[in-house]
Amino acid sequence: MPTHARDEELAAILGEDGTLARTLPGFRFRPQQLAMAQAVARAILAREPLVAEAGTGTGKTFAYLVPALLYGGKVIVSTGTKTLQDQLFERDLPLVRDALAVPVTVALLKGRANYVCRHHLERTSREGRLHSRDDVRYLQKIVAFARVSERGDRGELADVPEHATIWPLVTSTRDNCLGSHCAFHRECFVMKARKEALDADVVVVNHHLFFADVTLRDEGLAELLPACNTVILDEAHQLPDTATLFYGEQVTAGQLTELARDAEAIARTELRDVPDLPEAGADLVPLIRKLRLAAGDATGKFAQAQIGGRPDFREALDALAAGVDRLAAEMERFAVRSEDVAAIARRVADVSDVLSRWKGGLEHADDDAAPWIRWVDVSAQGWQLQASPLSVADVFRRQVEDTGRAWIFTSATLAVGRDFSHYTSQLGLVDAPTGCWDSPFDYDEQALLYVPRGLPAPNSVEHTHAVVDAALPVLKASGGRAFLLFTSLRALNVARERLAALLEREKLGYPLLVQGDGAKSELLLRFRELGNAVLLGSASFWEGVDVPGDALSVVVIDKLPFAPPDDPLLAARLAKLNADGGNAFFDWQVPQAAISLKQGAGRLIRTETDRGVLMIGDPRLVDKPYGRRIWRSLPPMKRTRELSDVLAFFGKRTSGSER
């Protein structure tokens, strides 16, 4: 089809009087959406990549779905969150498919842990290894659900909380799935979902599942990606971190504790005739704790060279590795007894290999062309041994170039002032075509950027109190209805105490909701229902949160979201940039902070009728030369440093409404 004919076909669908305008209530023509759809279509038909930033309100979902359904062949759509995954499958895809009247089949595929596993459900019911009375009650509900469910998706069982401790006992992982050896293989919910995905024209997955396929860590998925013609990666700003996770490897205290528990349980049931075997599993638990104690009292991320040189840590690590090796040898001896035993033997062997490689990093650098960075992430109760490639650009670029398919990368936050170089360099996409479509919202009228005068330096002890104090008159003017977003949990906790005291002193009855006091979904539901609440959050509320309308009229961000420089992986990447003649601060830290800030700021204006104030409590935004580059990456709001302008903004709103 000639380019002009294809563009006209898309205009007839997405245009002002087009197919979607006639068939979908509330659909509005947006030139940016049509232009993006035409660019996506060109990339699909040329089988080439496209990096596409689409501002809030552009309608990017329809902009990629329409050309994908018309020209994409076998399509995989990958998202960053299960919420968007469900929305695509249950709402957006059926709407577009029906409006276009195209005979495409659609499948939803999630990771194993999202489906009830009949084998582990039966085993847990038989053995009764339950943590609480709640789990006993939940188990009965899950058993009944598994009998009648078509998909076995745990998300359909609202009666059992998402974080209930029963779920790991009745779902499978890559490590403990029995595969074709399972007695329930023919009835397996995961296998059914994968078969539907292989047969479908469009498959909706999430980034973690997508990279499990790309890296072939999950052999059961290996057929999915090669079969497709078009890959669409929504919320693509998350990809560098997700790719780094999947191209790397890790061993965690939780993973090992679960493995030790499973090994001990199988030894006491199927291997009762081997007297010393239960102890081989049980003996790991004190070794896991010993490594945590050897890591010291401080929590955080510590480079391998920093912590690995300590004799007590080396001793604890050697003891743990020896314990894992002993368990691996014992399990391997009896792997022929049953597939359950063989599965645990494979899991222990895998952990033994990762531990060996991690320990090897203490002795010498890898011979690989791309060096690896190793570190320990220490929490209050546990630890993670992490290993990541310094860069994923080369390996990911090969995935894109060697497949002969179209790759669409899209998000509202990929560029810094229309410059995509920071993003594309991370994924090896430096030569990929790019496109940037601005939001259709009238930010000049709808929003105000406020940077208060006189705030202390963001690294000072008084900074958080000063930000909260400066936010109080803004909250009064808006009648609550605010998000206060913080770059650290420490600042969040300080702000909570300060704001609670101020609200009580001023006798302001704004409900105060704080991250951690409930599930994220519950807090957002309460925030929307209350109508005048103030919600305090950190990283998890910076993106993927949608509160349109009057419930949210203020977003306060405490400081510019520069990543902590003591992160070992980041420190190594910055050192490499500087060693190669670049400027790590301007080439990496500033653009990364700008992209993160755009995510947080994006919570404010979600529809054409929203109005609100974005307050940023960081004087560097106006005092430092790089601040201009950062604020210019934000939507084109009016800017002010005067509280009087904020009061006038909300006064204008109040006078024009019936509040």
Side-chain angles (χ1 to χ4, degrees), residues 458 487-488 542 557-566 570 574 584-586 588-594 596-597 618 620-621 624 626-627 630:
T487 53
S488 71
W542 280 66
I557 294 176
D558 68 332
K559 63 178 71 172
L560 297 179
F562 286 107
D566 57 350
L570 175 61
L574 299 182
F585 182 72
F586 287 104
W588 184 287
Q589 290 175 281
V590 169
Q592 190 65 49
S596 298
L597 187 65
D618 193 330
R620 292 175 296 181
L621 196 65
K624 299 293 185 182
Y626 57 81
I630 293 177

Side-chain angles (χ1 to χ4, degrees), residues 25 51 98 136 157 184 209 267 278 349 425 428 480 496 580:
V51 181
D98 294 347
V136 175
L157 186 55
F184 298 95
L209 191 61
S425 65
R496 175 184 194 158
D580 290 345

